[in-house]
Amino acid sequence: MGKYKGFSGSGMNQNKNMSSVIKQAQKMQEEMERVQAEMEEKTVDATAGGGVVSVTVNGKKELLSIKIKPEAVDPDDVETLEDLVMVAVNEAIKKADDMMTEGMSEITGGLNIPGLF
């Protein structure tokens, strides 16, 4: 019987430890949700073509604005303008991803948790 008492006691410690781990995980999840909401409200800018095309994207990767300087508009070369817009948008989306990753890594300590955001 003495064996079972020792086992039972360690089981209680495991339950306390598990409860502590669950509380820590819940706190981390709440903090991650708070940071994610903050990051989604922030914006990033990117430019292409030496600044003739500039875009703004938020942390949700939504395109908020596109600005095109008149000198970028050449009716005989629409493809270049299209490429500049694509480059600027893709760069802004990458910056938004990097911003979110950086914000989350402050909470997770750099752990790469799949499906986190």
Side-chain angles (χ1 to χ4, degrees):
M1 282 262 205
K3 288 192 253 180
Y4 297 113
K5 281 186 178 179
F7 179 76
S8 173
S10 67
M12 290 176 75
N13 285 338
Q14 286 177 338
N15 285 342
K16 286 181 183 178
N17 289 341
M18 184 59 89
S19 176
S20 175
V21 168
I22 290 171
K23 285 180 184 177
Q24 288 175 340
Q26 287 171 337
K27 184 177 182 198
M28 181 183 279
Q29 181 178 359
E30 289 170 4
E31 184 67 10
M32 287 169 37
E33 288 171 359
R34 182 189 64 76
V35 168
Q36 183 173 2
E38 284 178 13
M39 294 294 129
E40 288 177 350
E41 294 301 315
K42 289 186 176 186
T43 62
V44 293
D45 299 308
T47 63
V52 295
V53 173
S54 62
V55 299
T56 302
V57 172
N58 66 17
K60 291 185 260 186
K61 299 183 230 174
E62 296 172 333
L63 183 60
L64 300 177
S65 73
I66 297 176
K67 302 231 185 292
I68 301 172
K69 291 186 177 178
E71 60 265 28
V73 182
D74 179 353
D76 296 326
D77 188 12
V78 175
E79 283 184 20
T80 298
L81 179 55
E82 292 170 342
D83 288 344
L84 292 174
V85 170
M86 185 174 56
V87 166
V89 170
N90 285 335
E91 178 63 22
I93 289 171
K94 182 185 178 317
K95 285 182 176 183
D97 280 341
D98 292 347
M99 177 181 64
M100 187 66 76
T101 299
E102 185 177 315
M104 287 300 163
S105 70
E106 291 176 14
I107 296 169
T108 65
L111 293 175
N112 183 10
I113 303 171
L116 190 56
F117 52 90

